[in-house]
Amino acid sequence: EVHLVESGGGLVQSGGSLRLSCATSGFTFSNFWMHWVRQAPGKGLVWVSRINADGTTTTYADSVKGRFTISRDNAKNTLYLQMDSLRADDAAVYYCARNFRSDASDIWGQGTMVTVSS
Amino acid sequence: QSALTQPASVSGSPGQSITISCTGSSSDIGAYNYVSWYQQHPGKVPKLMIFDVSNRPSGVSNRFSGSKSGNTASLTISGLQAEDEADYHCSSYTSSSTVVFGGGTKLTVL
């Protein structure tokens, strides 16, 4: 069975850093593009970033460009999101998601909560 | 990149059909047939319901259908059931090679 399990969320001060991880299993991780998507409490989904299968191409939403870095370790079947210079509006549940096709995501993790205090 | 525009809420009675709109621009929905729809029940993770405007993943009921006209995509749910009550989110690929979501629509089954 396919599983995505996020970890690394927590409480951080404004300006601080966090590194999220997404451990995957049940599929050939190295064959799939992956996404990070976030959702603030009571709000809609917001796309954050995407990485291609071999990790050579990354794309970011304007709101996180220059502050967040997506990466992957295909040997460890794990996706990462390094978040620096965190702001209050970065607070959300962060989901990792497997790209199905055309940037549609068919498998989602359960999410990890990031809280930013001022 | 501005978020796609969805109605905040829609409602319908069991057995009826409802349609949720998702309006973008000529840089996203209007330019590509890469619109997706997700269903999200409270406290749950999103579930892919439609991809590439009108295609259903395996296992998704054929009561769910998608379409697009110009810069607006639509999700139609026919034969509304109580279990369909959820939030629905649209998304599209953009000319900046990014992805943009809508604000989400809360569906209430009366």
Side-chain angles (χ1 to χ4, degrees), chain A residues 37-81:
Chain A
V37 177
R38 68 186 182 187
Q39 185 172 35
K43 302 297 185 181
L45 300 172
V46 176
W47 180 81
V48 173
S49 184
R50 177 213 293 122
I51 188 168
N52 70 342
D54 63 8
T56 57
T57 301
T58 59
T59 314
Y60 300 91
D62 287 345
S63 59
V64 306
K65 197 176 298 182
R67 301 187 299 121
F68 289 12
T69 303
I70 189 172
S71 62
R72 64 192 297 159
D73 185 335
N74 285 346
K76 295 183 178 180
N77 296 323
T78 302
L79 176 73
Y80 303 100
L81 185 68

Side-chain angles (χ1 to χ4, degrees), chain A residues 44-47 103, chain B residues 3-7 20-24 28-29 34-39 48 50 67 71-75 87-93 99-105:
Chain A
L45 300 172
V46 176
W47 180 81
D103 282 322
Chain B
L4 306 175
T5 301
Q6 298 181 235
I20 300 171
S21 62
C22 172
T23 301
D28 38 65
I29 292 177
Y34 298 148
V35 177
S36 303
W37 289 91
Y38 300 88
Q39 176 191 66
L48 180 65
I50 297 287
S67 62
N71 296 337
T72 298
S74 299
L75 173 71
D87 292 329
Y88 290 85
H89 308 271
C90 62
S91 73
S92 175
Y93 178 78
V99 178
V100 62
F101 279 92
T105 298

